[in-house]
Amino acid sequence: GSSKGWIPQNDDVVVDAPVAPPTQKGIFGFGSTGGGNTQVGVTNLVNSSGAVASDVSAVGTARNAVGAVTYGFDKAIFAFGRINDNGNNFVNTRNLVNNSGVVASDATGAGTARLGVTGAKYGFDKAIFAFGSTGSVVNTRNLVSNSGVVAADATGAGTARNRPNGVGYGTTGQAIYAFGYGSGYLNVSNLVTNQGVVGSDVSGVGTARVGSASSTYGTTGQAIFVYGGGLSDLVDKFNLVTNVGVVGSDQTAAGTKRQALGGTSYGGDKGIVGFGEVSSKSNLTNKISSSGVVASNTSGVGTARDNLAAAGYSNSA
């Protein structure tokens, strides 16, 4: 009426709100089979049921401590790393992965060459590589466009550190980094907006550690960090992340605890973590259910290795 104005009668869901298509397949790639010059460039595809395929010979330069992330909804990228453990042989090489899981040959990457970089998807179709080490830990970040172009360095917020882990979360395209090694083992986290802006440190929950793995799970934007290496031992814990970026307290994970492993989503609402270092290199994998439960070990397929990376690709099962 003339005195009260409009009174809402219904508050309907906006049916055309953007929804990111679910990732159906994954890829593990690169890593190290031992000390020294033992880097490999092999990859292993993960189908939409979570089965890991045997080795595919690499097109790209063999290296370890590489980063990987999904971009453009259905493609992936591997970038950065070290080509030889005997010295600071860092590279900013990148390799794009198409939506059929085919890895392209090397391209010279933008950004400072370094190892221990981790990727995270943000804004639905874009990605970010952040943190790492050039011989000294950094908080540098590089944004990745939805066509796989890596941007030049930007000075990142948050504590400089090596081998944290990053993962997307939420329903509007945010991401989170957590854990890593700076002046010691860390359990801080940093939220990333859906515009790729890295937030300041948030005091961490959970065991401080390095070299954990992460994945999204479920259909409403949850994520998980699992395993890693702590101050005195390998860590058998996992931490769930809510769809508003809150990191939960430690829970004990099934399976063999290890560090320097990779993780990715698959099947639209599940995850998988694999490979890594126990007392020796491993090719074990552990599936993450759609409710965030870590499964016991699956006997590995592919070359046992650590310091590899993983990312999702393909929207087709």
mmCIF file of all heavy atoms in Angstrom, residues 23 25-30 43 45 63 67-79 94-105 121 125-127 129 144-150 263-265 309-315:
data_model
loop_
_atom_site.group_PDB
_atom_site.id
_atom_site.type_symbol
_atom_site.label_atom_id
_atom_site.label_comp_id
_atom_site.label_asym_id
_atom_site.label_seq_id
_atom_site.Cartn_x
_atom_site.Cartn_y
_atom_site.Cartn_z
ATOM 1 N N THR A 23 34.182 -31.953 -11.240
ATOM 2 C CA THR A 23 35.321 -32.617 -11.864
ATOM 3 C C THR A 23 35.148 -34.125 -11.748
ATOM 4 O O THR A 23 34.871 -34.651 -10.679
ATOM 5 C CB THR A 23 36.621 -32.190 -11.182
ATOM 6 O OG1 THR A 23 36.761 -30.778 -11.297
ATOM 7 C CG2 THR A 23 37.824 -32.861 -11.819
ATOM 8 N N LYS A 25 37.458 -36.606 -13.324
ATOM 9 C CA LYS A 25 38.668 -37.412 -13.434
ATOM 10 C C LYS A 25 39.849 -36.654 -12.831
ATOM 11 O O LYS A 25 39.759 -35.459 -12.567
ATOM 12 C CB LYS A 25 38.938 -37.769 -14.898
ATOM 13 C CG LYS A 25 37.813 -38.556 -15.542
ATOM 14 C CD LYS A 25 38.040 -38.754 -17.033
ATOM 15 C CE LYS A 25 36.844 -39.457 -17.673
ATOM 16 N NZ LYS A 25 36.988 -39.571 -19.138
ATOM 17 N N GLY A 26 40.947 -37.360 -12.617
ATOM 18 C CA GLY A 26 42.120 -36.737 -12.035
ATOM 19 C C GLY A 26 43.400 -37.244 -12.671
ATOM 20 O O GLY A 26 43.398 -38.217 -13.439
ATOM 21 N N ILE A 27 44.494 -36.585 -12.329
ATOM 22 C CA ILE A 27 45.797 -36.981 -12.836
ATOM 23 C C ILE A 27 46.857 -36.735 -11.765
ATOM 24 O O ILE A 27 46.880 -35.675 -11.140
ATOM 25 C CB ILE A 27 46.141 -36.223 -14.144
ATOM 26 C CG1 ILE A 27 47.491 -36.668 -14.706
ATOM 27 C CG2 ILE A 27 46.074 -34.713 -13.963
ATOM 28 C CD1 ILE A 27 47.771 -36.127 -16.116
ATOM 29 N N PHE A 28 47.684 -37.754 -11.509
ATOM 30 C CA PHE A 28 48.891 -37.624 -10.704
ATOM 31 C C PHE A 28 50.065 -37.472 -11.660
ATOM 32 O O PHE A 28 50.125 -38.168 -12.690
ATOM 33 C CB PHE A 28 49.114 -38.869 -9.837
ATOM 34 C CG PHE A 28 48.133 -39.049 -8.719
ATOM 35 C CD1 PHE A 28 47.050 -39.913 -8.856
ATOM 36 C CD2 PHE A 28 48.300 -38.381 -7.516
ATOM 37 C CE1 PHE A 28 46.149 -40.097 -7.809
ATOM 38 C CE2 PHE A 28 47.402 -38.556 -6.469
ATOM 39 C CZ PHE A 28 46.324 -39.409 -6.616
ATOM 40 N N GLY A 29 51.042 -36.611 -11.319
ATOM 41 C CA GLY A 29 52.146 -36.433 -12.247
ATOM 42 C C GLY A 29 53.443 -36.018 -11.602
ATOM 43 O O GLY A 29 53.469 -35.370 -10.556
ATOM 44 N N PHE A 30 54.548 -36.434 -12.236
ATOM 45 C CA PHE A 30 55.904 -36.068 -11.876
ATOM 46 C C PHE A 30 56.295 -36.664 -10.524
ATOM 47 O O PHE A 30 55.677 -37.608 -10.058
ATOM 48 C CB PHE A 30 56.084 -34.545 -11.952
ATOM 49 C CG PHE A 30 55.787 -34.003 -13.330
ATOM 50 C CD1 PHE A 30 54.507 -33.581 -13.675
ATOM 51 C CD2 PHE A 30 56.769 -33.958 -14.293
ATOM 52 C CE1 PHE A 30 54.219 -33.108 -14.962
ATOM 53 C CE2 PHE A 30 56.500 -33.485 -15.587
ATOM 54 C CZ PHE A 30 55.223 -33.064 -15.915
ATOM 55 N N THR A 43 52.930 -39.818 -15.610
ATOM 56 C CA THR A 43 51.630 -39.446 -15.065
ATOM 57 C C THR A 43 50.768 -40.688 -14.930
ATOM 58 O O THR A 43 51.003 -41.715 -15.573
ATOM 59 C CB THR A 43 50.911 -38.429 -15.972
ATOM 60 O OG1 THR A 43 50.755 -38.981 -17.284
ATOM 61 C CG2 THR A 43 51.674 -37.122 -16.041
ATOM 62 N N LEU A 45 46.535 -41.459 -14.748
ATOM 63 C CA LEU A 45 45.179 -40.939 -14.813
ATOM 64 C C LEU A 45 44.278 -41.650 -13.810
ATOM 65 O O LEU A 45 44.482 -42.823 -13.491
ATOM 66 C CB LEU A 45 44.612 -41.114 -16.218
ATOM 67 C CG LEU A 45 45.380 -40.418 -17.345
ATOM 68 C CD1 LEU A 45 44.661 -40.637 -18.673
ATOM 69 C CD2 LEU A 45 45.556 -38.930 -17.073
ATOM 70 N N ARG A 63 60.700 -33.790 -13.119
ATOM 71 C CA ARG A 63 60.992 -32.899 -11.992
ATOM 72 C C ARG A 63 60.151 -33.312 -10.793
ATOM 73 O O ARG A 63 59.191 -34.076 -10.915
ATOM 74 C CB ARG A 63 60.745 -31.438 -12.358
ATOM 75 C CG ARG A 63 59.337 -31.101 -12.841
ATOM 76 C CD ARG A 63 59.370 -29.746 -13.559
ATOM 77 N NE ARG A 63 58.062 -29.190 -13.847
ATOM 78 C CZ ARG A 63 57.353 -29.459 -14.949
ATOM 79 N NH1 ARG A 63 57.829 -30.308 -15.847
ATOM 80 N NH2 ARG A 63 56.175 -28.880 -15.145
ATOM 81 N N GLY A 67 53.863 -28.172 -8.706
ATOM 82 C CA GLY A 67 52.496 -27.846 -8.344
ATOM 83 C C GLY A 67 51.536 -28.235 -9.449
ATOM 84 O O GLY A 67 51.932 -28.334 -10.624
ATOM 85 N N ALA A 68 50.275 -28.474 -9.108
ATOM 86 C CA ALA A 68 49.258 -28.797 -10.108
ATOM 87 C C ALA A 68 47.919 -28.259 -9.651
ATOM 88 O O ALA A 68 47.656 -28.157 -8.440
ATOM 89 C CB ALA A 68 49.167 -30.309 -10.328
ATOM 90 N N VAL A 69 47.049 -27.942 -10.621
ATOM 91 C CA VAL A 69 45.728 -27.413 -10.286
ATOM 92 C C VAL A 69 44.824 -27.506 -11.503
ATOM 93 O O VAL A 69 45.296 -27.526 -12.647
ATOM 94 C CB VAL A 69 45.841 -25.953 -9.786
ATOM 95 C CG1 VAL A 69 46.290 -25.008 -10.903
ATOM 96 C CG2 VAL A 69 44.554 -25.469 -9.152
ATOM 97 N N THR A 70 43.520 -27.566 -11.249
ATOM 98 C CA THR A 70 42.509 -27.514 -12.299
ATOM 99 C C THR A 70 42.277 -26.071 -12.726
ATOM 100 O O THR A 70 42.298 -25.167 -11.896
ATOM 101 C CB THR A 70 41.187 -28.097 -11.790
ATOM 102 O OG1 THR A 70 41.419 -29.422 -11.307
ATOM 103 C CG2 THR A 70 40.124 -28.135 -12.883
ATOM 104 N N TYR A 71 42.061 -25.854 -14.016
ATOM 105 C CA TYR A 71 41.672 -24.529 -14.498
ATOM 106 C C TYR A 71 40.671 -24.715 -15.641
ATOM 107 O O TYR A 71 40.547 -25.793 -16.224
ATOM 108 C CB TYR A 71 42.891 -23.728 -14.966
ATOM 109 C CG TYR A 71 43.418 -24.155 -16.321
ATOM 110 C CD1 TYR A 71 42.957 -23.539 -17.492
ATOM 111 C CD2 TYR A 71 44.335 -25.182 -16.452
ATOM 112 C CE1 TYR A 71 43.415 -23.944 -18.736
ATOM 113 C CE2 TYR A 71 44.793 -25.591 -17.692
ATOM 114 C CZ TYR A 71 44.322 -24.961 -18.834
ATOM 115 O OH TYR A 71 44.769 -25.378 -20.063
ATOM 116 N N GLY A 72 39.946 -23.638 -15.964
ATOM 117 C CA GLY A 72 39.036 -23.674 -17.102
ATOM 118 C C GLY A 72 37.959 -24.726 -16.999
ATOM 119 O O GLY A 72 37.508 -25.246 -18.028
ATOM 120 N N PHE A 73 37.553 -25.081 -15.799
ATOM 121 C CA PHE A 73 36.521 -26.077 -15.515
ATOM 122 C C PHE A 73 36.971 -27.520 -15.735
ATOM 123 O O PHE A 73 36.681 -28.387 -14.925
ATOM 124 C CB PHE A 73 35.242 -25.834 -16.324
ATOM 125 C CG PHE A 73 34.504 -24.588 -15.971
ATOM 126 C CD1 PHE A 73 34.293 -23.608 -16.917
ATOM 127 C CD2 PHE A 73 34.021 -24.387 -14.690
ATOM 128 C CE1 PHE A 73 33.603 -22.449 -16.596
ATOM 129 C CE2 PHE A 73 33.331 -23.229 -14.359
ATOM 130 C CZ PHE A 73 33.126 -22.255 -15.315
ATOM 131 N N ASP A 74 37.670 -27.821 -16.835
ATOM 132 C CA ASP A 74 37.882 -29.219 -17.190
ATOM 133 C C ASP A 74 39.302 -29.544 -17.628
ATOM 134 O O ASP A 74 39.555 -30.594 -18.217
ATOM 135 C CB ASP A 74 36.909 -29.637 -18.294
ATOM 136 C CG ASP A 74 37.105 -28.865 -19.601
ATOM 137 O OD1 ASP A 74 37.856 -27.872 -19.606
ATOM 138 O OD2 ASP A 74 36.494 -29.264 -20.620
ATOM 139 N N LYS A 75 40.246 -28.654 -17.345
ATOM 140 C CA LYS A 75 41.640 -28.880 -17.724
ATOM 141 C C LYS A 75 42.533 -28.719 -16.498
ATOM 142 O O LYS A 75 42.075 -28.306 -15.436
ATOM 143 C CB LYS A 75 42.040 -27.896 -18.825
ATOM 144 C CG LYS A 75 41.303 -28.145 -20.147
ATOM 145 C CD LYS A 75 41.533 -27.052 -21.154
ATOM 146 C CE LYS A 75 40.686 -25.833 -20.892
ATOM 147 N NZ LYS A 75 39.256 -26.062 -21.108
ATOM 148 N N ALA A 76 43.811 -29.069 -16.645
ATOM 149 C CA ALA A 76 44.741 -28.989 -15.526
ATOM 150 C C ALA A 76 46.078 -28.443 -15.998
ATOM 151 O O ALA A 76 46.359 -28.372 -17.203
ATOM 152 C CB ALA A 76 44.929 -30.366 -14.881
ATOM 153 N N ILE A 77 46.897 -28.052 -15.043
ATOM 154 C CA ILE A 77 48.219 -27.536 -15.335
ATOM 155 C C ILE A 77 49.196 -28.002 -14.260
ATOM 156 O O ILE A 77 48.864 -27.996 -13.072
ATOM 157 C CB ILE A 77 48.213 -25.985 -15.434
ATOM 158 C CG1 ILE A 77 49.619 -25.441 -15.731
ATOM 159 C CG2 ILE A 77 47.619 -25.356 -14.188
ATOM 160 C CD1 ILE A 77 49.625 -23.945 -16.005
ATOM 161 N N PHE A 78 50.385 -28.451 -14.687
ATOM 162 C CA PHE A 78 51.522 -28.694 -13.805
ATOM 163 C C PHE A 78 52.516 -27.559 -14.021
ATOM 164 O O PHE A 78 52.756 -27.156 -15.171
ATOM 165 C CB PHE A 78 52.205 -30.028 -14.136
ATOM 166 C CG PHE A 78 51.393 -31.241 -13.792
ATOM 167 C CD1 PHE A 78 50.577 -31.851 -14.738
ATOM 168 C CD2 PHE A 78 51.455 -31.799 -12.519
ATOM 169 C CE1 PHE A 78 49.837 -32.978 -14.425
ATOM 170 C CE2 PHE A 78 50.711 -32.926 -12.191
ATOM 171 C CZ PHE A 78 49.901 -33.515 -13.142
ATOM 172 N N ALA A 79 53.127 -27.072 -12.944
ATOM 173 C CA ALA A 79 54.061 -25.959 -13.097
ATOM 174 C C ALA A 79 55.088 -25.946 -11.974
ATOM 175 O O ALA A 79 54.848 -26.455 -10.889
ATOM 176 C CB ALA A 79 53.318 -24.625 -13.140
ATOM 177 N N ARG A 94 55.991 -25.098 -17.339
ATOM 178 C CA ARG A 94 54.599 -25.511 -17.143
ATOM 179 C C ARG A 94 54.190 -26.491 -18.228
ATOM 180 O O ARG A 94 54.733 -26.486 -19.342
ATOM 181 C CB ARG A 94 53.661 -24.305 -17.130
ATOM 182 C CG ARG A 94 53.500 -23.623 -18.474
ATOM 183 C CD ARG A 94 52.563 -22.418 -18.377
ATOM 184 N NE ARG A 94 52.303 -21.824 -19.681
ATOM 185 C CZ ARG A 94 53.058 -20.903 -20.267
ATOM 186 N NH1 ARG A 94 54.144 -20.463 -19.645
ATOM 187 N NH2 ARG A 94 52.748 -20.422 -21.456
ATOM 188 N N ASN A 95 53.218 -27.338 -17.902
ATOM 189 C CA ASN A 95 52.650 -28.293 -18.856
ATOM 190 C C ASN A 95 51.139 -28.284 -18.699
ATOM 191 O O ASN A 95 50.619 -28.548 -17.606
ATOM 192 C CB ASN A 95 53.172 -29.704 -18.605
ATOM 193 C CG ASN A 95 54.674 -29.794 -18.692
ATOM 194 O OD1 ASN A 95 55.361 -29.563 -17.696
ATOM 195 N ND2 ASN A 95 55.200 -30.111 -19.855
ATOM 196 N N LEU A 96 50.432 -27.960 -19.761
ATOM 197 C CA LEU A 96 48.977 -27.974 -19.736
ATOM 198 C C LEU A 96 48.459 -29.388 -19.979
ATOM 199 O O LEU A 96 49.084 -30.177 -20.682
ATOM 200 C CB LEU A 96 48.413 -27.030 -20.799
ATOM 201 C CG LEU A 96 48.812 -25.555 -20.682
ATOM 202 C CD1 LEU A 96 48.136 -24.745 -21.784
ATOM 203 C CD2 LEU A 96 48.479 -24.984 -19.314
ATOM 204 N N VAL A 97 47.310 -29.690 -19.384
ATOM 205 C CA VAL A 97 46.651 -30.989 -19.541
ATOM 206 C C VAL A 97 45.263 -30.733 -20.108
ATOM 207 O O VAL A 97 44.479 -29.975 -19.520
ATOM 208 C CB VAL A 97 46.537 -31.723 -18.189
ATOM 209 C CG1 VAL A 97 45.905 -33.091 -18.376
ATOM 210 C CG2 VAL A 97 47.894 -31.831 -17.506
ATOM 211 N N ASN A 98 44.954 -31.336 -21.245
ATOM 212 C CA ASN A 98 43.642 -31.086 -21.836
ATOM 213 C C ASN A 98 42.562 -31.914 -21.150
ATOM 214 O O ASN A 98 42.840 -32.687 -20.230
ATOM 215 C CB ASN A 98 43.655 -31.294 -23.359
ATOM 216 C CG ASN A 98 43.830 -32.751 -23.761
ATOM 217 O OD1 ASN A 98 43.621 -33.684 -22.976
ATOM 218 N ND2 ASN A 98 44.193 -32.968 -25.020
ATOM 219 N N ASN A 99 41.318 -31.757 -21.615
ATOM 220 C CA ASN A 99 40.213 -32.430 -20.925
ATOM 221 C C ASN A 99 40.099 -33.911 -21.259
ATOM 222 O O ASN A 99 39.151 -34.573 -20.828
ATOM 223 C CB ASN A 99 38.888 -31.707 -21.165
ATOM 224 C CG ASN A 99 38.525 -31.605 -22.635
ATOM 225 O OD1 ASN A 99 39.146 -32.245 -23.483
ATOM 226 N ND2 ASN A 99 37.528 -30.784 -22.926
ATOM 227 N N SER A 100 41.080 -34.438 -22.000
ATOM 228 C CA SER A 100 41.204 -35.878 -22.186
ATOM 229 C C SER A 100 42.367 -36.450 -21.388
ATOM 230 O O SER A 100 42.669 -37.645 -21.496
ATOM 231 C CB SER A 100 41.402 -36.208 -23.678
ATOM 232 O OG SER A 100 40.274 -35.808 -24.428
ATOM 233 N N GLY A 101 43.044 -35.597 -20.616
ATOM 234 C CA GLY A 101 44.149 -36.049 -19.782
ATOM 235 C C GLY A 101 45.483 -36.128 -20.490
ATOM 236 O O GLY A 101 46.426 -36.734 -19.970
ATOM 237 N N VAL A 102 45.598 -35.506 -21.662
ATOM 238 C CA VAL A 102 46.848 -35.519 -22.415
ATOM 239 C C VAL A 102 47.718 -34.353 -21.964
ATOM 240 O O VAL A 102 47.278 -33.193 -21.969
ATOM 241 C CB VAL A 102 46.585 -35.436 -23.924
ATOM 242 C CG1 VAL A 102 47.909 -35.384 -24.689
ATOM 243 C CG2 VAL A 102 45.745 -36.612 -24.382
ATOM 244 N N VAL A 103 48.958 -34.658 -21.577
ATOM 245 C CA VAL A 103 49.886 -33.645 -21.076
ATOM 246 C C VAL A 103 50.658 -33.048 -22.248
ATOM 247 O O VAL A 103 51.257 -33.773 -23.051
ATOM 248 C CB VAL A 103 50.872 -34.259 -20.063
ATOM 249 C CG1 VAL A 103 51.828 -33.198 -19.521
ATOM 250 C CG2 VAL A 103 50.110 -34.923 -18.920
ATOM 251 N N ALA A 104 50.662 -31.726 -22.344
ATOM 252 C CA ALA A 104 51.374 -31.034 -23.417
ATOM 253 C C ALA A 104 52.855 -30.914 -23.091
ATOM 254 O O ALA A 104 53.280 -31.054 -21.936
ATOM 255 C CB ALA A 104 50.771 -29.656 -23.645
ATOM 256 N N SER A 105 53.650 -30.622 -24.100
ATOM 257 C CA SER A 105 55.084 -30.429 -23.912
ATOM 258 C C SER A 105 55.357 -29.157 -23.119
ATOM 259 O O SER A 105 54.466 -28.344 -22.871
ATOM 260 C CB SER A 105 55.785 -30.384 -25.270
ATOM 261 O OG SER A 105 55.214 -29.383 -26.080
ATOM 262 N N LYS A 121 42.201 -24.012 -6.962
ATOM 263 C CA LYS A 121 41.224 -23.452 -7.897
ATOM 264 C C LYS A 121 40.416 -22.358 -7.199
ATOM 265 O O LYS A 121 40.026 -22.502 -6.045
ATOM 266 C CB LYS A 121 40.300 -24.558 -8.395
ATOM 267 C CG LYS A 121 39.313 -24.110 -9.467
ATOM 268 C CD LYS A 121 38.583 -25.291 -10.076
ATOM 269 C CE LYS A 121 37.617 -25.945 -9.112
ATOM 270 N NZ LYS A 121 36.763 -26.965 -9.755
ATOM 271 N N ASP A 125 36.689 -21.117 -12.529
ATOM 272 C CA ASP A 125 37.438 -21.533 -13.719
ATOM 273 C C ASP A 125 38.876 -21.025 -13.750
ATOM 274 O O ASP A 125 39.571 -21.193 -14.749
ATOM 275 C CB ASP A 125 36.709 -21.095 -14.989
ATOM 276 C CG ASP A 125 36.582 -19.581 -15.120
ATOM 277 O OD1 ASP A 125 36.818 -18.869 -14.119
ATOM 278 O OD2 ASP A 125 36.239 -19.105 -16.225
ATOM 279 N N LYS A 126 39.330 -20.422 -12.666
ATOM 280 C CA LYS A 126 40.698 -19.911 -12.608
ATOM 281 C C LYS A 126 41.454 -20.598 -11.474
ATOM 282 O O LYS A 126 40.893 -21.377 -10.716
ATOM 283 C CB LYS A 126 40.675 -18.393 -12.433
ATOM 284 C CG LYS A 126 40.147 -17.660 -13.664
ATOM 285 C CD LYS A 126 40.004 -16.182 -13.441
ATOM 286 C CE LYS A 126 38.729 -15.838 -12.714
ATOM 287 N NZ LYS A 126 37.523 -16.116 -13.504
ATOM 288 N N ALA A 127 42.753 -20.305 -11.377
ATOM 289 C CA ALA A 127 43.581 -20.996 -10.390
ATOM 290 C C ALA A 127 44.691 -20.077 -9.896
ATOM 291 O O ALA A 127 44.947 -19.012 -10.472
ATOM 292 C CB ALA A 127 44.172 -22.270 -10.988
ATOM 293 N N PHE A 129 48.804 -20.410 -8.126
ATOM 294 C CA PHE A 129 49.958 -21.070 -7.540
ATOM 295 C C PHE A 129 50.534 -20.128 -6.489
ATOM 296 O O PHE A 129 50.690 -18.927 -6.755
ATOM 297 C CB PHE A 129 51.031 -21.373 -8.583
ATOM 298 C CG PHE A 129 50.674 -22.479 -9.530
ATOM 299 C CD1 PHE A 129 50.443 -22.213 -10.871
ATOM 300 C CD2 PHE A 129 50.595 -23.793 -9.089
ATOM 301 C CE1 PHE A 129 50.134 -23.244 -11.754
ATOM 302 C CE2 PHE A 129 50.277 -24.828 -9.959
ATOM 303 C CZ PHE A 129 50.043 -24.548 -11.291
ATOM 304 N N VAL A 144 46.429 -17.947 -12.474
ATOM 305 C CA VAL A 144 46.309 -18.698 -13.716
ATOM 306 C C VAL A 144 44.943 -18.389 -14.316
ATOM 307 O O VAL A 144 43.917 -18.555 -13.651
ATOM 308 C CB VAL A 144 46.441 -20.219 -13.477
ATOM 309 C CG1 VAL A 144 46.359 -20.976 -14.800
ATOM 310 C CG2 VAL A 144 47.738 -20.538 -12.748
ATOM 311 N N SER A 145 44.934 -17.936 -15.569
ATOM 312 C CA SER A 145 43.677 -17.584 -16.213
ATOM 313 C C SER A 145 42.894 -18.828 -16.607
ATOM 314 O O SER A 145 43.397 -19.951 -16.526
ATOM 315 C CB SER A 145 43.952 -16.743 -17.464
ATOM 316 O OG SER A 145 44.447 -17.571 -18.505
ATOM 317 N N ASN A 146 41.668 -18.617 -17.075
ATOM 318 C CA ASN A 146 40.850 -19.758 -17.480
ATOM 319 C C ASN A 146 41.272 -20.342 -18.818
ATOM 320 O O ASN A 146 40.670 -21.300 -19.307
ATOM 321 C CB ASN A 146 39.363 -19.407 -17.486
ATOM 322 C CG ASN A 146 39.038 -18.237 -18.390
ATOM 323 O OD1 ASN A 146 39.863 -17.778 -19.183
ATOM 324 N ND2 ASN A 146 37.813 -17.750 -18.279
ATOM 325 N N SER A 147 42.330 -19.796 -19.413
ATOM 326 C CA SER A 147 42.928 -20.405 -20.598
ATOM 327 C C SER A 147 44.323 -20.951 -20.312
ATOM 328 O O SER A 147 45.051 -21.316 -21.240
ATOM 329 C CB SER A 147 42.977 -19.395 -21.756
ATOM 330 O OG SER A 147 43.722 -18.240 -21.391
ATOM 331 N N GLY A 148 44.700 -20.992 -19.038
ATOM 332 C CA GLY A 148 45.954 -21.611 -18.642
ATOM 333 C C GLY A 148 47.165 -20.718 -18.713
ATOM 334 O O GLY A 148 48.308 -21.209 -18.669
ATOM 335 N N VAL A 149 46.982 -19.415 -18.789
ATOM 336 C CA VAL A 149 48.099 -18.474 -18.819
ATOM 337 C C VAL A 149 48.512 -18.131 -17.391
ATOM 338 O O VAL A 149 47.682 -17.695 -16.584
ATOM 339 C CB VAL A 149 47.726 -17.194 -19.578
ATOM 340 C CG1 VAL A 149 48.872 -16.185 -19.527
ATOM 341 C CG2 VAL A 149 47.355 -17.522 -21.016
ATOM 342 N N VAL A 150 49.782 -18.335 -17.075
ATOM 343 C CA VAL A 150 50.310 -18.052 -15.743
ATOM 344 C C VAL A 150 50.805 -16.606 -15.692
ATOM 345 O O VAL A 150 51.637 -16.195 -16.510
ATOM 346 C CB VAL A 150 51.461 -19.009 -15.386
ATOM 347 C CG1 VAL A 150 52.002 -18.709 -13.993
ATOM 348 C CG2 VAL A 150 50.995 -20.461 -15.480
ATOM 349 N N GLY A 263 46.880 -35.064 -4.125
ATOM 350 C CA GLY A 263 45.460 -35.292 -3.934
ATOM 351 C C GLY A 263 44.638 -34.551 -4.964
ATOM 352 O O GLY A 263 45.017 -33.468 -5.430
ATOM 353 N N THR A 264 43.503 -35.136 -5.337
ATOM 354 C CA THR A 264 42.606 -34.502 -6.307
ATOM 355 C C THR A 264 41.192 -35.021 -6.103
ATOM 356 O O THR A 264 40.976 -36.066 -5.483
ATOM 357 C CB THR A 264 43.059 -34.799 -7.749
ATOM 358 O OG1 THR A 264 42.156 -34.152 -8.662
ATOM 359 C CG2 THR A 264 43.080 -36.292 -8.046
ATOM 360 N N SER A 265 40.242 -34.307 -6.648
ATOM 361 C CA SER A 265 38.859 -34.773 -6.641
ATOM 362 C C SER A 265 38.619 -35.677 -7.842
ATOM 363 O O SER A 265 39.383 -35.680 -8.812
ATOM 364 C CB SER A 265 37.896 -33.587 -6.684
ATOM 365 O OG SER A 265 38.130 -32.804 -7.838
ATOM 366 N N ALA A 309 52.437 -34.154 -7.773
ATOM 367 C CA ALA A 309 51.254 -33.319 -7.612
ATOM 368 C C ALA A 309 50.097 -33.964 -8.351
ATOM 369 O O ALA A 309 50.282 -34.878 -9.158
ATOM 370 C CB ALA A 309 51.514 -31.914 -8.143
ATOM 371 N N ALA A 310 48.886 -33.476 -8.070
ATOM 372 C CA ALA A 310 47.685 -34.024 -8.703
ATOM 373 C C ALA A 310 46.667 -32.923 -8.917
ATOM 374 O O ALA A 310 46.645 -31.924 -8.196
ATOM 375 C CB ALA A 310 47.087 -35.142 -7.850
ATOM 376 N N ALA A 311 45.816 -33.118 -9.916
ATOM 377 C CA ALA A 311 44.749 -32.137 -10.217
ATOM 378 C C ALA A 311 43.614 -32.857 -10.917
ATOM 379 O O ALA A 311 43.801 -33.918 -11.520
ATOM 380 C CB ALA A 311 45.280 -31.016 -11.092
ATOM 381 N N GLY A 312 42.445 -32.253 -10.857
ATOM 382 C CA GLY A 312 41.284 -32.789 -11.541
ATOM 383 C C GLY A 312 41.186 -32.270 -12.965
ATOM 384 O O GLY A 312 41.690 -31.188 -13.295
ATOM 385 N N TYR A 313 40.541 -33.043 -13.814
ATOM 386 C CA TYR A 313 40.250 -32.600 -15.181
ATOM 387 C C TYR A 313 38.981 -33.316 -15.649
ATOM 388 O O TYR A 313 38.557 -34.306 -15.063
ATOM 389 C CB TYR A 313 41.424 -32.900 -16.132
ATOM 390 C CG TYR A 313 41.548 -34.369 -16.513
ATOM 391 C CD1 TYR A 313 40.944 -34.867 -17.659
ATOM 392 C CD2 TYR A 313 42.251 -35.251 -15.714
ATOM 393 C CE1 TYR A 313 41.041 -36.207 -18.015
ATOM 394 C CE2 TYR A 313 42.358 -36.605 -16.046
ATOM 395 C CZ TYR A 313 41.752 -37.069 -17.193
ATOM 396 O OH TYR A 313 41.833 -38.388 -17.526
ATOM 397 N N SER A 314 38.373 -32.827 -16.706
ATOM 398 C CA SER A 314 37.217 -33.406 -17.379
ATOM 399 C C SER A 314 35.922 -33.248 -16.574
ATOM 400 O O SER A 314 35.875 -33.543 -15.368
ATOM 401 C CB SER A 314 37.431 -34.900 -17.686
ATOM 402 O OG SER A 314 36.295 -35.424 -18.377
ATOM 403 N N ASN A 315 34.877 -32.835 -17.264
ATOM 404 C CA ASN A 315 33.545 -32.790 -16.672
ATOM 405 C C ASN A 315 32.680 -33.947 -17.155
ATOM 406 O O ASN A 315 31.491 -34.001 -16.886
ATOM 407 C CB ASN A 315 32.857 -31.464 -17.005
ATOM 408 C CG ASN A 315 33.639 -30.271 -16.536
ATOM 409 O OD1 ASN A 315 33.741 -29.269 -17.251
ATOM 410 N ND2 ASN A 315 34.229 -30.342 -15.350
#
